[in-house]
Amino acid sequence: LTISFGITGVNRDVEPGVDAWKPHLWYGVPEFDPDFDISRADSQEFLRNFCQALRAAPCDAEGCKPIGKLVQQAEDSVSCFIEEFDAWVGGTRFE
C-alpha cells in the first residue's frame, strides 16, 4: 500500500490511456496540489504524526490478530519519507 500526499488526483484520460488488463504499465498523469508545501513546518509535522499514527492504528479484524494493529510491528513495515529525511540530516529541522 502506498499513500501519497500533495496530489489531488490522477488524469487517466491522456494518451496512451490506462489498459484495464495491464494497469501497472501506465497509471496516468498526477495532478499536483498547488497548496501542498512540504517546506512548511506544519506539513512536515503532519507527515511525522501520520506515520506514527499509522504504526499505532488499532485493528480488531481477524487478520490483525494476535497483535491487534493495522500494520505489522516490524521496523520496516512503514517507510516514511520525512522520517528518513530527518535521519539523513541528523535530526535538524528545516522551517
Side-chain angles (χ1 to χ4, degrees), residues 27-61:
Y27 301 104
V29 177
E31 296 172 347
F32 296 101
D33 182 353
D35 296 324
F36 181 76
D37 184 356
I38 191 67
S39 69
R40 291 181 21 199
D42 61 328
S43 296
Q44 295 173 22
E45 196 59 30
F46 172 83
L47 292 174
R48 289 181 189 99
N49 292 337
F50 179 87
C51 295
Q52 291 173 1
L54 183 60
R55 288 185 186 96
C59 176
D60 58 4

Side-chain angles (χ1 to χ4, degrees), residues 44-82:
Q44 295 173 22
E45 196 59 30
F46 172 83
L47 292 174
R48 289 181 189 99
N49 292 337
F50 179 87
C51 295
Q52 291 173 1
L54 183 60
R55 288 185 186 96
C59 176
D60 58 4
E62 188 65 31
C64 297
K65 293 179 181 176
I67 299 168
K69 299 287 184 187
L70 184 61
V71 296
Q72 295 178 358
Q73 298 301 292
E75 189 171 316
D76 61 349
S77 293
V78 176
S79 174
C80 186
F81 159 77
I82 195 69

Side-chain angles (χ1 to χ4, degrees), residues 10-29:
V10 177
N11 183 346
R12 293 184 170 91
D13 296 328
V14 295
E15 290 299 324
V18 177
D19 183 338
W21 302 108
K22 301 176 189 172
H24 62 287
L25 295 181
W26 195 80
Y27 301 104
V29 177

